[in-house]
Amino acid sequence: AAQTGKTEVGLGWIGYVMHHSPAPMLVVVPTLEVRKRWTKQRLDPLINETPALRELLANRKRDAANAEDMKDFPGGILVIGGANSPASLASMPIRYVLCDEVDRFPWEVGQEGDPLGLIDERTKTFPRRKVLLVSTPTVKGLSRIETEYEKSDMRQYHVPCPHCGEYQVLRWRHDDGSYGLVHSASTGATRYACRACGTLIDEHHKPAMLERGLWIPRHPERPVRGYHLSGLYSPLGLGLSLIHI
């Protein structure tokens, strides 16, 4: 789903690394043009509105090393690159990588090949590396994030029905062919039909359902974690509801 907090997870991780686990970290966005907007709208507010990070970088704000493409912090460095720029993906070794909106990355970067391949090479120096790929998927069968997810343990978020308590994955259509979303022509209301008991679930039930939810992997034997979440899970307050879906 779009606008459900994926990038916020990555920003929280950036803050943790800078404050508690300093090391070289790379953030990659689709293009260098996006990088400027991402830094201004995402990264700078994270630093300025988080007291611990603001204090951490207080003496470095005017440093030349803290520009649009780089944030130098004690014990580490944060580099922000564009997937369309080989120069921003080369050279220094990196322990942590956040790739945001990977489905909008180019498949080839000049003569350098796949940008994800270049990024992978930069992390091999560190045996305890960590890479987070985040994206809203685009075209089925041509989606990078779909390919990566299908190689992972494929976690899905199971939430309990507020009426019968049955844990389930919210789906547009159930396995038996019936629709998850049920629209009433007479009232105009859209509600969700429980897979188990068939009782209709209203929007106001969502917060309690999400709070009690569990991530359950479909392939627990696989070492890479992958998470899938559809727009049906969008919490109240994000501007997306069952009515708008």
Side-chain angles (χ1 to χ4, degrees):
Q3 302 299 317
T4 51
K6 300 185 299 299
T7 300
E8 291 301 319
V9 171
L11 289 169
W13 181 35
I14 291 173
Y16 176 84
V17 168
M18 296 175 76
H19 191 206
H20 295 288
S21 184
M25 186 171 191
L26 172 67
V27 174
V28 184
V29 294
T31 67
L32 292 179
E33 291 73 19
V34 171
R35 177 179 70 184
K36 182 175 183 179
R37 185 169 67 249
W38 193 93
T39 301
K40 183 177 181 179
Q41 296 180 349
R42 300 286 195 169
L43 183 60
D44 288 346
L46 169 72
I47 295 171
N48 295 332
E49 296 171 16
T50 308
L53 300 182
R54 188 169 63 242
E55 181 179 352
L56 199 65
L57 298 179
N59 297 324
R60 299 169 183 260
K61 284 188 175 180
R62 298 182 181 179
D63 195 303
N66 286 279
E68 177 184 300
D69 63 341
M70 188 180 302
K71 301 292 181 182
D72 184 27
F73 55 92
I77 188 170
L78 177 67
V79 178
I80 306 98
N84 66 336
S85 169
S88 66
L89 306 180
S91 69
M92 64 178 291
I94 294 292
R95 181 174 181 180
Y96 302 122
V97 181
L98 165 62
C99 296
D100 197 16
E101 293 298 346
V102 298
D103 264 24
R104 289 161 178 76
F105 284 17
W107 290 96
E108 300 284 337
V109 184
Q111 302 299 316
E112 304 291 334
D114 186 351
L116 290 186
L118 298 178
I119 293 167
D120 184 64
E121 288 295 322
R122 294 187 63 172
T123 64
K124 289 184 176 179
T125 305
F126 295 92
R128 292 179 60 81
R129 60 181 178 167
K130 187 180 292 291
V131 178
L132 174 61
L133 306 179
V134 176
S135 189
T136 301
T138 51
V139 181
K140 185 173 178 59
L142 298 175
S143 167
R144 285 182 181 275
I145 202 68
E146 177 190 32
T147 300
E148 296 296 331
Y149 177 71
E150 289 180 347
K151 293 189 292 186
S152 73
D153 64 2
M154 300 181 72
R155 295 173 184 235
Q156 296 176 302
Y157 202 57
H158 294 243
V159 293
C161 170
H163 306 290
C164 71
E166 176 77 11
Y167 272 80
Q168 58 198 280
V169 176
L170 299 183
R171 302 183 185 278
W172 302 99
R173 182 176 291 191
H174 299 308
D175 293 336
D176 62 3
S178 62
Y179 287 98
L181 291 180
V182 178
H183 179 73
S184 172
S186 60
T187 66
T190 300
R191 293 183 288 178
Y192 188 85
C194 173
R195 178 194 65 187
C197 68
T199 306
L200 298 180
I201 299 170
D202 289 301
E203 187 74 27
H204 67 82
H205 289 119
K206 261 181 158 183
M209 294 169 65
L210 294 173
E211 185 178 1
R212 296 171 57 197
L214 300 171
W215 285 106
I216 300 178
R218 293 170 59 187
H219 299 281
E221 74 282 359
R222 296 178 184 175
V224 176
R225 294 187 178 189
Y227 301 84
H228 176 276
L229 205 65
S230 80
L232 293 172
Y233 292 88
S234 294
L236 293 172
L238 286 186
L240 182 66
S241 67
L242 296 178
I243 296 174
H244 295 107
I245 292 172

